Every structure is written in structure tokens, then in C-alpha cells.
Amino acid sequence: MPPTTCAHCSTNRAVIKRPKNHHKLCRGCFLTVFEDEVHHTITSSKLFYPGERIAVGASGGKDSTVLASVLKTLNERHNYGLDLILLSVDEGIKGYRDDSLETVKRNSVQYDMPLKIVGYDELYGWTMDQVVETVGKKGNCTYCGVFRRQALDRGAKMLEIKHVVTGHNADDIAETVMMNLLRGDLPRLSRSTSIVTGDSSSDVKRSKPLKYAYEKEIVLYAHHKKLDYFSTECIYSPEAFRGTARSLIKNLEKIRPSAILDIVRSGEDMAQLTPDKGKGQCACDEGDAVGGCGSANGRTSGNELARMEASLKERPRHDSLETEISSNGPTKADDDVVQLPVRNRRPQEAAGTPLQTLGQCVKCGYMSSQSMCQACTLLETLNKNRADITI
Ligand SMILES: Nc1ncnc2c1ncn2[C@@H]1O[C@H](COP(=O)(O)OP(=O)(O)OP(=O)(O)O)[C@@H](O)[C@H]1O
């Protein structure tokens, strides 16, 4: 059979079948199309302004590595005028984060971007290794997720930066939508679909430029661009519920490849049905599950992605028509939106009052809807446990 030519340039040999829509593309066209789509997300959401200083939440993993690389490319290509800085949080997990931070340090040199690292140790007096030693593996993701959100915020403030971008991708968002749908938590579901999070009481906003990028395409991009990234999963326990949502979506994706984008779009449409239209006053909630890192080892459910990465490494570059997935394009709900019954409405919400009023944590001064922020509440429990153990 003659080699397939690229559907885009009709010249080069196609080496990639896009997971999103089955288009067969050559390496160069795939990289350009991927970058163009991120550029479209950025410009259509008016994510940045010229001269803006941006902290890229950099974990050394594929998503944030691709994010940093694509932002660098687009910044130069389209003259965004951004000042890009890598911001890493060292959770204090030996054999995992220390290794991935080495990758970020290399990325900092490769992309010529300054790097700032903030540690749980210095911020909270606890490393995640110590947290797990104290509370065990079960539920440790809650501590980590709460601490990380705040750590990124604090790191940005140290750098006097008001905008942090993270590598959350379409799969992450679809999982979060699904989890909140299964929980019946419409307000959180709607917040999870926003490309920008944060609120008026914090001067650090968050955004997700890879919101519409499929995880598999991110892996393909990293592979074909030969990016240096760290691919080991966190050594601590996965968020079981996210893993379940992930498996569900992966199974749906097999029979309906557009499922990931469909779920994201449906989440966006549902957000319009909530009183705050997805712009709730809750910066403590990235739309991820309460706590948790947003990725979990759901990734290993079925080990699909790990297999894909392994096979990409093994196979020669020209032989990577890997993923049998097609897309019918996202479906759009009717414009005539009907008010859906919202389950489990909270009393304040039913009374039409705002869900949360943000103030400052009495202990650390970080924004909080309670008198004490989530991180300090968790730290109180940890410190009490430490005292009990010492006694
Ligand atoms: N330790 C960290 N330091 C800085 N940013 C982080 C850190 N951990 C996560 N992030 C940010 O949050 C995003 C989502 O994190 P998550 O834990 O879901 O990892 P992930 O989906 O495996 O992403 P990645 O492949 O970038 O590690 C990351 O892409 C990154 O931007």
C-alpha cells in the first residue's frame, strides 16, 4: 500500500493519526495544528495581555512541559509579549518530585525561562512524605491538593505575578465534570469548566490554556517535539473516584471518540444553568475534586497512556499512526436553555444568596470563605497528630 500523504500539506508522508478527529498528518503539520489550536484557545478567551508576566505551573510532567514549550513557541510566533517564568512546587516526595524537579531545572535552561521553586516544607513545615507518614496513604491527596493550590498562589505572589497557567487538559476537565455530575454537585461542575479560575479577592488568577487539548495529543506532541519530560506517576495512592471517572471516560471514548470534548462542552453548557454561570466565588476550588491533584493515577487505569508512551518510545518516529480514535466534533446543546432542577441545593443557594463570602484566614491571611483556610485547617490536624505522636 502506498504511504498516506498528510491531509494538511498533501506533500509529506502522514505519520500521525490524530486522536481528536482521525486526520492523518505529517509530523510538521501535526505540531503546527496542535499549536494553532492552543493559540485559538488563548486568543478566543483573551487569556493574556501584552507584557503580562505569566508563571507556568511546572511539575516536569508531560502536560506542563508541553504547556511551557507551546507558550514559548506561540509567544515568539505571535508576539504575545509575555514574560514566562516556571513555577514549581516541591511537595517533598522523595523518589518522585525530587526527580521531576530535575527535569524542570533542565527545561528552565532549554526554554531559557527563569525557575522558582517553593516547597511545602518551607511553607507549611511539612513535606508530603511526613504527611503520609502521619495520616497514611489514604486521603493524602486531599492534603496535597489543598497545599499545592495555595503554594502556587504564594509562589506567584513571591514573584509578583498575577497569573498562573497550569497544564490541565481536556481529559482532566472531562473527568472533573463527570465526577461532579456523579456527585450531583452542579456548582462545582460548572466552575470546573471555566478556563479562568480565581476570584476578585485574590490577585492571582489561574487559567488552563490546554483545556481543549487531548491528553493523547499532548503525549504525541511531546514525543514528536522531543521534549524532555518526566513520566512517572506519583508514588502515593490515587484518588480512587477520579480513577473511576477516568476509566468510564476512556471506555466511552472507545465507542465515541469525541466523548472527551463532548463532556467538556456539556459541562460548559450546564455551567450556564447555574446561578453564577460557572464563575463562582471560590478560588479554593480549581474545579478539581476537593483536594487531590487533578490527575491521580486514574492514568494507570487500563494503563492505556503508559502503553502509548512506551510504544512511542519503542517505535521509530515514522511509524506512529497510533490511536484508533475518531471524532464527530463536539455536539452543541440547544440554545433555548431550560432551567434544570438542581439536586442537593444548599440552603443559601436556594435562598438566592451567594454560596461563599471570601475573607481572610485568621491564621495565615490567605483568602478563605471560612475563618480558617483549608490548608490551615488541615495543618491543625497534622500538627495535633504530630504532638500526639511526640507525647
Ligand atoms: N508540583 C507542581 N508544581 C507546579 N505545578 C504543578 C505541580 N503539580 C501540578 N502542577 C500544575 O497542575 C497541573 C495539573 O497537575 P496534575 O497533578 O493534574 O498533573 P498532570 O496532569 O500529570 O500534569 P503534568 O503532566 O504537567 O504533571 C500541571 O500540569 C501543572 O501545571
Side-chain angles (χ1 to χ4, degrees), residues 41-61:
T41 304
I42 289 169
T43 49
S44 59
S45 317
K46 298 189 174 65
L47 227 45
F48 307 127
Y49 61 83
E52 192 171 8
R53 296 182 70 226
I54 304 290
V56 182
S59 63

Side-chain angles (χ1 to χ4, degrees), residues 57-65 67 87-91 97 148 152 165-169 172 215 293-295 299:
S59 63
K62 63 182 187 328
D63 299 312
S64 48
T65 303
L67 178 62
L87 172 60
S88 293
V89 176
D90 183 356
E91 297 94 344
R97 188 56 82 208
R148 186 185 304 126
L152 279 172
V165 290
T166 58
H168 290 95
N169 57 44
D172 295 330
E215 188 168 54
C293 61
S295 67
R299 185 142 305 153

Side-chain angles (χ1 to χ4, degrees), residues 315-363:
R315 279 196 261 176
R317 198 158 294 275
H318 62 268
D319 182 27
S320 38
L321 285 172
E322 41 285 295
T323 325
E324 291 299 324
I325 292 176
S326 71
S327 167
N328 303 324
T331 49
K332 186 84 181 75
D334 288 347
D335 283 336
D336 297 328
V337 174
V338 205
Q339 187 73 41
L340 284 182
V342 179
R343 284 203 306 131
N344 294 340
R345 279 180 132 197
R346 296 166 211 192
Q348 317 94 295
E349 199 189 343
T353 48
L355 266 179
Q356 316 226 359
T357 322
L358 274 163
Q360 284 189 326
C361 169
V362 290
K363 282 206 116 177

Side-chain angles (χ1 to χ4, degrees), residues 231-248:
S231 59
T232 306
E233 294 295 338
C234 180
I235 55 174
Y236 293 133
S237 64
E239 269 183 276
F241 193 37
R242 181 172 287 271
T244 310
R246 171 171 281 258
S247 304
L248 192 59

Side-chain angles (χ1 to χ4, degrees), residues 143-270:
Y143 290 83
C144 198
V146 168
F147 289 166
R148 186 185 304 126
R149 266 191 289 278
Q150 211 182 86
L152 279 172
D153 207 71
R154 290 183 183 199
K157 282 188 176 143
M158 289 174 203
L159 293 164
E160 296 181 3
I161 287 180
K162 299 196 165 134
H163 190 166
V164 176
V165 290
T166 58
H168 290 95
N169 57 44
D171 299 54
D172 295 330
I173 292 165
E175 282 160 24
T176 308
V177 167
M178 189 61 88
M179 285 160 72
N180 288 314
L181 190 66
L182 296 173
R183 286 192 184 111
D185 193 338
L186 200 54
R188 184 168 278 129
L189 181 156
S190 75
R191 285 195 295 276
S192 70
T193 59
S194 296
I195 190 159
V196 176
T197 50
D199 68 89
S200 53
S201 77
S202 167
D203 44 7
V204 179
K205 80 171 180 183
R206 300 276 193 96
S207 69
K208 306 165 186 162
L210 299 183
K211 179 185 172 187
Y212 298 110
Y214 273 39
E215 188 168 54
K216 284 175 182 159
E217 300 210 352
I218 289 173
V219 173
L220 286 172
Y221 185 90
H223 171 73
H224 287 281
K225 198 100 196 263
K226 294 188 187 158
L227 299 185
D228 180 7
Y229 71 95
F230 182 80
S231 59
T232 306
E233 294 295 338
C234 180
I235 55 174
Y236 293 133
S237 64
E239 269 183 276
F241 193 37
R242 181 172 287 271
T244 310
R246 171 171 281 258
S247 304
L248 192 59
I249 292 170
K250 289 287 174 226
N251 284 334
L252 284 172
E253 194 195 358
K254 279 181 197 140
I255 48 170
R256 184 178 166 82
S258 63
I260 293 172
L261 270 184
D262 291 343
I263 294 169
V264 174
R265 303 274 186 207
S266 300
E268 289 171 345
D269 289 342
M270 281 188 264

